Amino acid sequence: MIPSSAVPRLSAVPGPGGELDRVLALTSSEPVWRLSADAYRAEAAQRQYRPEWTWAAWGSDGQVLARALWWGQGDSAHPLALDCLAVADEVPVDDRARLAAALLCAGAQAFRGAGAAAPPLYNLMKLPGGWRDDPAHVAAVGWRQDAARRAGLSVEVERLQFEWTPEAPLPAAPERLVLTPEPDDEVFLDAMRRVAVGSLDAHTIEGEAAHGAEATARESLEFYLDRPGKREWWRLARTSDGALAGLAIPSATPYARNVGYLGVVPEARGRGYVSEILADITRFHAADGAERVTATTDLGNRPMAAAFTRTGYRNTEVRLIFSAPVNG
């Protein structure tokens, strides 16, 4: 962590008023997405942004040099992710990573003091697919990558964001699989362990390496139980002879319906079942009137990305996710 004597004053915003207005008014010419003041206030009304999760670096003249906006669900005890990290254009390029890292460390220390078990991840959103071909994007991403690493968020995963809307054809219903509800969490947990074998998901791979398959599956179960989606939406996928083929967890975010979690057991892979399960999730949300269904997958998970494309989803953005090592 950078000594406090080497950086400006770092603090959470005390609440609505002049300081918050100045923080939200911070502008930058960089091409990276920034949360608007109106969007912040709208979500703050739902307690998804809060003064104690909103941090700034202040110059000696009261100027806002940088800001970090952490986000959580309305009922979250601690922030879940850093949504927006921005530095004023006046800050020299060579100083941006150092200043931003100090801000992230100060916020994370405060969250730990309030009982958070680990620093929130940093979700660098809304990058275009070809961002590496644009020098301005490369520069803006570069100092943020450096800041994240300095702050201990050393695990980086690139993810593709997908979206389905009713303008796309509704995928056909599964023909070879039968999907039925399964209310028993322990049965679902066993299915999650089985579909995780050989997974291409970076978080699953890292979690199993650090804590084992049982703990990683249980963490995933608890994660989806805590999402806005309903437990009764969850289903197991079986073949016509009753053999387990995979699982489907349609879910939701505070903003849209979401694909959530799906997988195929190793012995059933290579038969196109993933597309049938994805189609069933999509049809489930569409039947409930969803006008938008979102989904993400790691850049390296090419089979899943291909399944989204086949099912009528379009790639809308790239995200870089920075997190602390799970065994850190």
Side-chain angles (χ1 to χ4, degrees), residues 121-140:
L121 58 82
Y122 172 24
N123 188 2
L124 179 51
M125 300 185 290
K126 300 187 184 299
L127 294 171
W131 68 268
R132 287 184 175 83
D133 298 324
D134 176 24
H137 270 98
V138 170

Side-chain angles (χ1 to χ4, degrees), residues 5-287:
S5 60
V7 297
R9 177 172 65 93
L10 308 172
S11 69
V13 176
E19 283 200 347
L20 178 61
D21 291 343
R22 294 204 300 277
V23 170
L24 297 181
L26 175 70
T27 60
S28 168
S29 60
E30 291 184 317
V32 172
W33 174 83
R34 290 176 303 282
L35 185 75
S36 71
D38 287 345
Y40 177 97
R41 291 189 174 97
E43 296 195 37
Q46 306 298 319
R47 287 181 50 77
Q48 291 168 185
Y49 293 105
R50 303 177 196 174
E52 64 270 26
W53 298 350
T54 301
W55 281 68
W58 305 87
S60 58
D61 58 355
Q63 178 189 8
V64 179
L65 301 177
R67 73 178 188 187
L69 310 180
W70 278 274
W71 176 93
Q73 294 180 170
D75 59 353
S76 296
H78 311 290
L80 302 178
L82 173 65
D83 258 7
C84 182
L85 175 64
V87 172
D89 286 337
E90 293 77 11
V91 176
V93 174
D94 291 345
D95 291 336
R96 292 178 184 179
R98 186 173 69 99
L99 176 60
L103 191 56
L104 298 192
C105 287
Q109 184 176 7
F111 304 147
R112 284 195 300 271
L121 58 82
Y122 172 24
N123 188 2
L124 179 51
M125 300 185 290
K126 300 187 184 299
L127 294 171
W131 68 268
R132 287 184 175 83
D133 298 324
D134 176 24
H137 270 98
V138 170
V141 169
W143 69 256
R144 289 173 170 85
Q145 288 174 311
D146 189 8
R149 294 187 190 110
R150 293 188 190 202
L153 305 178
S154 58
V155 178
E156 178 180 335
V157 177
E158 188 161 349
R159 294 179 66 81
L160 303 176
Q161 177 85 3
F162 287 87
E163 176 181 282
W164 182 90
T165 63
E167 285 71 30
L170 188 67
E175 297 181 348
R176 298 171 296 163
L177 298 179
V178 178
L179 286 95
T180 56
E182 174 48 68
D184 189 329
D185 284 352
E186 291 302 314
V187 173
F188 230 99
L189 184 68
D190 181 65
M192 295 179 85
R193 281 194 296 263
R194 292 177 62 181
V195 303
V197 175
S199 174
L200 297 176
D201 179 77
H203 181 76
T204 299
I205 294 170
E206 185 191 15
E208 290 196 350
H211 302 305
E214 172 71 22
T216 301
R218 196 165 292 278
E219 179 194 32
S220 294
L221 182 82
E222 294 298 329
F223 176 85
Y224 284 102
L225 285 172
D226 191 46
R227 297 306 94 187
K230 298 179 180 179
R231 174 62 178 85
E232 55 264 33
W233 296 352
W234 299 14
R235 297 187 295 284
L236 294 182
R238 301 186 184 277
T239 58
S240 58
D241 62 358
L244 179 68
L247 60 83
I249 301 182
S251 191
T253 73
Y255 311 102
R257 289 294 184 96
N258 183 260
V259 167
Y261 188 98
L262 74 157
V264 175
V265 296
E267 61 269 26
R269 290 173 188 159
R271 305 176 193 177
Y273 287 158
V274 67
S275 293
E276 291 201 17
I277 297 174
L278 177 59
D280 188 78
I281 292 175
T282 307
R283 292 174 63 87
F284 171 81
H285 285 316

